[in-house]
Amino acid sequence: MTALGCAAALAVALTVTAAAPLADPGVQLARLPDGRHLAFRCAGSGTPTVLLEGGWAASSLAWSKVERLVAPVTRVCSYDRAGLGLSDGRPAPRDGTAIARDLDEGLRALKIAGPFVVAGHSAGGLYVRVFADRRPGDVVGMVLVDPSVEYQDKRLSAVFGPGAGSTAGIRNRAAACLAAAKAHALPSPDPKLVRCAAATPIATWETQVAELDSLWGATSDEVAGGRSSYGALPLIVLTAGDTNAALPDPSRRVADRVWAGLHQELAEHSTIGVRRTVDRTGHLIPKDRPDAVADAIIEVVKAARGEPLGTPRPIG
């Protein structure tokens, strides 16, 4: 498996295991029609509202650095998907449609109205695209941060060989932790799993497994069945410059070219879409380069307000 297969291709995002205190004054709990609650964190004021969608296993805390930079410009909201952070769990399937529906219902419960600029990191890039198809009249801009692409496993395997886009490794670990948590027993002998049963709720492991089980199947189908063109929607796609840094040349150059090519395809969903490479970061761009992510979001916010969108350029 290439580095591309085990990093960006795995849609492994900012995993935040430390839960925020239940009394966190920055958290708003949205009650959904079925009685579950989703936890939102919002800051700033103004329109459009920026919605931040994390990658696989990421709570809203993964966006904290970005949120602080965007809040002086407009209102920005991150949230915990079902089963993550402070949000209630929900049984499988946890595909893009279920996730977009939860977000939609949570926003309505909190009376957070559009227009929206949506930003998705890693697997969250797939989820915001489903949400944008669900509410096309309200989504006025999009930022995709080293995003996963539909059918990524098959598309990468076709280039690099079988298993290049597999999520089996992280899926098996999450499933082992889920089994251990249900059995109230610490898994052994793998030392990497020693704390997982005790440190994380069962609902979180269920969510992690269910999202991965849907990612290259139902979620990819939903994205592929959506719009092939966003018209002139302000859209910026950010590609991590160092995702494949561990690979020797020329393998690294090939992997970088393939990953950038997939992201260029996403940028071309909009007639004004642009793709940019962010240097000095691997896949976890919101953690390592929150400035680059915030700059892209603010640029799209301003474009939604009528200013011209910039041109492709590397971000050093």
Side-chain angles (χ1 to χ4, degrees), residues 216-231:
W216 310 139
T219 296
S220 289
D221 290 343
E222 291 152 7
V223 172
R227 288 176 291 168
S228 60
S229 172
Y230 297 136

Side-chain angles (χ1 to χ4, degrees), residues 247-265:
L247 288 178
D249 284 334
S251 298
R252 174 179 176 172
R253 291 196 299 272
V254 173
D256 286 347
R257 185 168 62 251
V258 169
W259 194 232
L262 293 174
H263 287 171
Q264 182 61 35
E265 289 181 16

Side-chain angles (χ1 to χ4, degrees), residues 53-54 119-130 142 144-145 147-148 223:
E53 183 75 71
H121 173 235
S122 194
L126 294 171
Y127 302 145
V128 297
R129 291 169 64 193
V130 176
M142 185 181 300
L144 301 175
V145 184
S148 302
V223 172

Side-chain angles (χ1 to χ4, degrees), residues 40-109:
F40 284 76
R41 288 181 171 83
C42 296
S45 61
T47 187
T49 296
V50 175
L51 303 178
L52 303 173
E53 183 75 71
W56 178 78
S59 80
S60 56
L61 297 178
W63 289 104
S64 58
K65 294 179 180 179
V66 174
E67 195 164 10
R68 284 195 294 270
L69 295 173
V70 175
V73 176
T74 194
R75 180 166 60 171
V76 54
C77 297
S78 58
Y79 81 108
D80 298 332
R81 289 196 297 276
L84 302 177
L86 301 179
S87 291
D88 295 334
R90 180 180 174 88
R94 296 306 302 158
D95 57 7
T97 293
I99 288 166
R101 181 175 60 245
D102 278 357
L103 176 57
D104 190 358
E105 292 175 349
L107 292 169
R108 295 183 192 280

Side-chain angles (χ1 to χ4, degrees), residues 67-281:
E67 195 164 10
R68 284 195 294 270
L69 295 173
V70 175
V73 176
T74 194
R75 180 166 60 171
V76 54
C77 297
S78 58
Y79 81 108
D80 298 332
R81 289 196 297 276
L84 302 177
L86 301 179
S87 291
D88 295 334
R90 180 180 174 88
R94 296 306 302 158
D95 57 7
T97 293
I99 288 166
R101 181 175 60 245
D102 278 357
L103 176 57
D104 190 358
E105 292 175 349
L107 292 169
R108 295 183 192 280
L110 294 179
K111 296 181 170 56
I112 300 174
F116 302 116
V117 166
V118 294
H121 173 235
S122 194
L126 294 171
Y127 302 145
V128 297
R129 291 169 64 193
V130 176
F131 178 81
D133 283 336
R134 182 182 179 92
R135 296 184 66 170
D138 287 327
V139 173
V140 296
M142 185 181 300
V143 177
L144 301 175
V145 184
D146 215 35
S148 302
V149 300
E150 59 271 34
Y151 308 121
Q152 184 171 295
D153 57 339
K154 297 180 180 66
R155 298 176 75 176
L156 291 176
S157 293
V159 177
F160 298 105
S166 174
T167 58
I170 54 174
R171 196 268 182 205
N172 290 342
R173 180 188 183 279
C177 285
L178 172 59
K182 287 182 174 179
H184 304 288
L186 296 178
S188 61
D190 187 345
K192 295 181 180 179
L193 303 182
V194 167
R195 295 183 57 199
C196 68
T200 304
I202 289 175
T204 298
W205 297 121
E206 289 176 335
T207 291
Q208 291 187 14
V209 172
E211 286 193 12
L212 287 175
D213 284 347
S214 297
L215 203 57
W216 310 139
T219 296
S220 289
D221 290 343
E222 291 152 7
V223 172
R227 288 176 291 168
S228 60
S229 172
Y230 297 136
L233 182 80
L235 167 63
I236 296 177
V237 182
L238 299 179
T239 303
D242 296 335
T243 293
N244 304 299
L247 288 178
D249 284 334
S251 298
R252 174 179 176 172
R253 291 196 299 272
V254 173
D256 286 347
R257 185 168 62 251
V258 169
W259 194 232
L262 293 174
H263 287 171
Q264 182 61 35
E265 289 181 16
L266 293 182
E268 291 172 0
H269 278 54
S270 168
T271 58
I272 60 171
V274 296
R275 188 199 68 80
R276 296 174 183 159
T277 297
V278 183
D279 294 330
R280 295 183 288 114
T281 181

